[in-house]
Amino acid sequence: MNGRFESAGGAVGGGLLVAGTTSDAGKSVVTAGICRWLVRQGIRVAPFKAQNMSLNSFVTREGAEIGRAQAMQAAAARVEPTALMNPVLLKPGSDRSSQVVLLGKPVGELSARGYFGESGGSSPGKTQYAGHREQLLGTVTDCLAELRRTHDAVICEGAGSPAEINLRRTDIVNMGIARAARIPVVVVGDIDRGGVFASFFGTTALLSREDQALVAGYLVNKFRGDVTLLEPGLEMLRGLTGRPTLGVLPFAHGLGIDEEDGLRVSLRGAVRESVVAPPHGADVLRVAVCAVPLMSNFTDVDALAAEPGVVVRFVDRAEELADADLVVLPGTRGTVRALAWLRERGLADAIARRAAEGRPVLGICGGYQMLGERIEDEVESKAGTVEGLGLLPVRVRFAVEKTLARPVGTALGEPVEGYEIHHGVAEVTGGDEAFMSDDQGHSLDGCRVGSVWGTHWHGSLESDGFRRAFLRRVAADAGRAFVPAPDTSFGTLREEQLDRLGDLIEEHADTDALLRLIEKGVPEGLPFVPPGAP
């Protein structure tokens, strides 16, 4: 099905909002799956999320910061990610405040009360944005309209639940954007958690009459077992709500795309899925990732976990570093806070002992900053001058302006590319060698002292040749007979994962019904389910 979808407004791309009964119901995965399924049908499709709260972000080609989930959904749609796809990004700095990123650029730091229209927060952008969150609806609807103008279809992702009745007045990401753009809504529920029928019914019944008129159906996610046993409940749900279930997606391992929020991940002892394949050499390689507070872009280690024989786990105790061949200090939105956390838990001392013994340590972004000698921070934590771990000859000063870049270079004799998202500016005063260099050998970023490495570049480990070269160095320093597989392609593995998401939709969803919703819009005569929003 090629060409434009026709609507009452003329030639404009169709739209669909994927909402969820809860956070982590599977909205991101379903949105990516629908995007991949549509593009395989020859339909020009783009993802969209009006507002995202995430510590996992990405930098677009034009230097805009957006959520990583939207970047992955763009990959599923086979389009270049842009700021239009995620116009509002909230990056938590504590349990009560977040940095507000508008159209890819940071505009201020606000408390939750300030952002949702009450007092609180302090930043240059406070006067403009605090108490006026509803004004952002115009910005996000303009972004969605532009995407619909240039694509055949736009698949929107909601956030949390559309039935957050305490926040409905200022909602711009769930029913707020659906109402403004007049697009149909499909609600996803995670049956693996239990209570999916009550969640579907309750979500619908808590919406106002006007919002309910946009809810066109449901998608069951993560079902295990015989679907025929579920069908009586689905028929009862249709009888109660007047809305069909448009698919039952089976439970499948390893289908999650880049998680949105590191704050919600159960980090201690969590093991990221690795390729189920034996090590290429005689040994496995064990990687311990310190689960620092406000951890950001922990997806950096996904490329390590993709290597056969590499075991990646998140840890928060010093003794858990003992058998690790490589310790990773990841990025964080709270570098000074994370540094204090390392010291409180004895992890700082354990990392220093590793360095003294010549055992590998890698710091990425905030982790790199912590490995340095000194941090001057009047921006993020406003803590002033703080002593770092002193393992790299680096001094860091936090700048008000955020660095957002997509650098390319070489490292360990291999091409490498990545992306930068940081306020900290590093001054390197020594070291054995630079980490990232240009093709003339001039330093671009980072440094190494012995077996301790640091870089601001996120995503560098996705460069296959560099990753293999780095792991060979790690294995040699760790005394492991580990050999990286010569043919592991992280990009290919990610494409295969996105294809599997597309397969889920194609094989287990009512694709004809989804196409009708995208092309024709909201069905007429959807019944009201009492009591509705209070």
Side-chain angles (χ1 to χ4, degrees), residues 44-277:
R44 293 178 296 175
V45 58
F48 177 80
K49 186 162 186 172
Q51 174 192 293
N52 197 349
M53 178 172 281
S54 178
L55 286 171
N56 284 337
S57 58
F58 184 76
V59 179
T60 67
R61 293 289 181 194
E62 70 268 28
E65 185 179 8
I66 65 173
R68 272 197 67 94
Q70 280 60 67
M72 285 298 299
Q73 289 162 355
R78 296 178 180 148
V79 294
E80 189 68 31
T82 74
L84 293 174
M85 298 172 183
N86 180 205
V88 181
L89 173 64
L90 305 178
K91 302 193 72 176
S94 70
D95 291 340
R96 297 190 176 187
S97 68
S98 294
Q99 183 181 68
V100 181
V101 179
L102 182 63
L103 292 174
K105 304 297 181 183
V107 295
E109 192 91 15
L110 287 176
S111 71
R113 291 176 66 86
Y115 183 72
F116 283 88
E118 301 179 42
S119 61
S122 60
S123 73
K126 178 184 174 183
T127 302
Q128 186 175 2
Y129 296 102
H132 300 286
R133 181 169 176 265
E134 64 275 9
Q135 295 180 5
L136 294 176
L137 184 60
T139 298
V140 301
T141 53
D142 287 348
C143 291
L144 177 56
E146 177 62 18
L147 288 174
R148 294 181 75 183
R149 187 184 67 81
T150 54
H151 294 79
D152 299 328
V154 178
I155 308 303
C156 309
E157 180 188 345
S161 163
E164 306 288 357
I165 56 179
N166 56 315
L167 303 177
R168 177 61 185 91
R169 181 180 61 85
T170 54
D171 168 52
I172 63 171
V173 64
N174 290 305
M175 303 313 297
I177 190 68
R179 283 267 291 274
R182 293 299 303 171
I183 55 175
V185 178
V186 174
V187 181
V188 178
D190 180 356
I191 197 171
D192 199 48
R193 295 182 175 191
V196 74
F197 294 117
S199 297
F200 283 143
F201 182 86
T203 296
T204 308
L206 276 177
L207 300 178
S208 68
R209 186 180 297 272
E210 294 79 7
D211 285 350
Q212 284 191 29
L214 301 176
V215 177
Y218 311 109
L219 270 173
V220 176
N221 193 29
K222 298 183 183 178
F223 179 70
R224 307 172 192 251
D226 185 349
V227 72
T228 61
L229 299 177
L230 194 64
E231 289 171 352
L234 301 180
E235 285 303 312
M236 292 175 66
L237 180 67
R238 182 165 191 161
L240 290 166
T241 67
R243 291 158 173 84
T245 296
L246 303 177
V248 178
L249 309 182
F251 187 97
H253 288 284
L255 288 185
I257 63 173
D258 296 358
E259 287 91 340
E260 290 188 342
D261 192 352
L263 294 175
R264 289 201 306 268
V265 177
S266 177
L267 294 170
R268 200 197 164 283
V271 179
R272 297 190 70 76
E273 287 195 46
S274 299
V275 173
V276 182

Side-chain angles (χ1 to χ4, degrees), residues 348 351-352 355-356 361 370-373 388-393 449 452:
I351 292 169
V361 177
M370 288 186 278
L371 290 172
E373 299 169 346
L389 297 179
L391 302 180
L392 290 176
V449 171
V452 180

Side-chain angles (χ1 to χ4, degrees), residues 288-436:
V289 184
C290 294
V292 297
L294 298 174
M295 184 166 55
S296 61
N297 287 66
F298 56 85
T299 48
D300 283 332
V301 300
D302 284 354
L304 296 179
E307 286 284 350
V310 175
V311 179
V312 178
R313 68 184 188 275
F314 290 93
V315 303
D316 62 2
R317 297 189 307 205
E319 57 268 28
E320 293 175 301
L321 304 187
D323 67 343
D325 302 305
L326 170 66
V327 169
V328 176
L329 286 179
T332 172
R333 255 277 284 156
T335 302
V336 170
R337 175 179 168 182
L339 189 55
W341 181 87
L342 290 175
R343 287 178 168 134
E344 289 166 2
R345 290 175 170 262
L347 286 158
D349 289 339
I351 292 169
R353 288 193 297 271
R354 287 184 63 90
E357 296 165 359
R359 303 174 67 196
V361 177
L362 170 65
I364 302 174
C365 199
Y368 169 39
Q369 296 165 7
M370 288 186 278
L371 290 172
E373 299 169 346
R374 187 177 69 205
I375 297 170
E376 296 178 16
D377 182 11
E378 298 292 350
V379 176
E380 189 176 78
S381 68
K382 298 180 173 59
T385 301
V386 177
E387 294 301 310
L389 297 179
L391 302 180
L392 290 176
V394 176
R395 297 172 184 173
V396 176
R397 178 185 55 81
F398 274 66
V400 173
E401 189 77 15
K402 181 186 282 191
T403 297
L404 296 170
R406 289 278 293 272
V408 297
T410 62
L412 302 180
E414 297 287 347
V416 61
E417 59 183 271
Y419 55 99
E420 295 184 65
I421 306 170
H422 54 90
H423 285 278
V425 178
E427 178 190 0
V428 179
T429 60
D432 298 334
E433 62 179 293
F435 202 163
M436 309 298 176

